[in-house]
């Protein structure tokens, strides 16, 4: 099958093949390691949320879970569509920078892009200012999959949309029950439970009343 963006795939992989060696090596490493940045941001979001209100803490915990759900949905969709990888299917394309996945590891949608889209969307729910970091990072992670030659452009576009849609829907549905569960755990006397959930927001100290005589 010849996809409408096979030409775009060839253009991108041709540029990748002609890119400087340092850029090719960076892309090969970054296309896999880039997702670790999202893992670090999830951990940081959880740690900071330990001193936030209970709903904010619940959302911070749900963010990586929602990303995992989006990944599972991507895997299910892959098994239904069974699209061959472009590094095998596109005639005349430059050799892929990354090793072409084996037959049966289907192309549509991109798991990496799905994870990136889900991570970027849910981390914005955790902390809105992260949008300036997570959105460019997700787009770069998705583009890198085409750049190294293992996905079509439509694979990564679909992955980004799928990841964001599934993850945001999951958080919206689970936020209520997760908030109630977090409140219960925060009320526990178990040291481990209290360390995981944190103490919540610090109580605001009342100003000391002045006892000076008028």
């Amino acid at each position: 099958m010849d996809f409408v963006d096979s030409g775009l795939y060839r253009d991108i992989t041709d540029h990748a093949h002609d890119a400087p060696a340092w850029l090719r090596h960076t892309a090969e490493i970054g296309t896999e390691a880039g997702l670790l940045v999202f893992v670090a941001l999830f951990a940081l979001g959880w740690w900071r949320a330990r001193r936030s209100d209970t709903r904010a803490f619940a959302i911070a915990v749900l963010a990586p879970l929602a990303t995992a759900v989006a990944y599972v949905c991507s895997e299910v969709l892959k098994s239904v569509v069974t699209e061959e990888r472009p590094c095998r299917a596109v005639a005349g394309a430059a050799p892929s920078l990354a090793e072409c996945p084996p037959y049966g590891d289907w192309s549509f949608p991109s798991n990496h892009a799905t994870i990136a889209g889900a991570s970027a969307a849910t981390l914005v729910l955790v902390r809105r200012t992260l949008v300036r970091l997570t959105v460019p990072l997700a787009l770069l992670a998705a583009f890198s999959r085409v750049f190294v030659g293992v996905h079509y452009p439509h694979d990564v576009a679909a992955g980004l949309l799928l990841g964001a849609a599934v993850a945001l829907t999951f958080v919206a549905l689970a936020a209520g029950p997760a908030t109630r569960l977090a409140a219960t755990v925060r009320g526990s006397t178990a040291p481990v439970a209290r360390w995981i959930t944190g103490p919540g927001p610090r109580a605001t100290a009342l100003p000391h009343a002045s006892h000076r005589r008028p």
Side-chain angles (χ1 to χ4, degrees):
M1 180 180 290
D2 187 21
F3 297 97
V4 294
D5 58 355
S6 294
L8 180 58
Y9 170 82
R10 289 192 195 93
D11 290 341
I12 294 173
T13 52
D14 283 346
H15 283 297
H17 193 264
D18 295 335
W22 66 267
L23 181 57
R24 296 198 303 270
H25 294 319
T26 300
E28 290 178 65
I29 297 171
T31 193
E32 298 290 347
L35 296 183
L36 296 178
V37 177
F38 287 118
V39 174
L41 289 173
F42 281 137
L44 180 61
W46 159 74
W47 184 257
R48 291 176 63 94
R50 293 170 70 255
R51 291 196 174 276
S52 299
D53 63 72
T54 305
R55 182 176 175 82
F57 174 81
I59 290 174
V61 172
L62 285 174
L65 295 178
T67 300
V69 170
Y71 168 76
V72 172
C73 291
S74 176
E75 278 292 312
V76 171
L77 188 55
K78 273 178 179 288
S79 66
V80 173
V81 177
T82 63
E83 175 191 85
E84 185 56 277
R85 294 278 180 164
C87 38
R88 272 191 296 273
V90 179
S96 59
L97 300 182
E99 182 179 355
C100 195
Y103 180 79
D105 186 350
W106 307 113
S107 191
F108 181 90
S110 164
N111 282 341
H112 282 69
T114 300
I115 293 171
S119 300
T122 53
L123 282 167
V124 171
L125 297 180
V126 175
R127 192 173 183 84
R128 289 185 181 180
T129 55
L130 285 175
V131 67
R132 290 173 287 186
L133 172 62
T134 60
V135 171
L137 183 60
L139 292 174
L140 183 60
F143 176 76
S144 73
R145 303 304 289 167
V146 184
F147 189 83
V148 299
V150 295
H151 277 292
Y152 292 100
H154 68 260
D155 295 338
V156 299
L160 288 172
L161 293 174
L162 175 68
V166 170
L168 291 176
T169 300
F170 179 85
V171 172
L173 295 175
T179 300
R180 292 191 290 273
L181 177 60
T184 300
V185 176
R186 272 187 169 171
S188 171
T189 57
V192 174
R194 292 184 61 83
W195 181 83
I196 291 173
T197 60
R202 292 193 181 102
T204 304
L206 296 175
H208 294 289
S210 175
H211 298 289
R212 291 181 299 175
R213 294 180 180 179

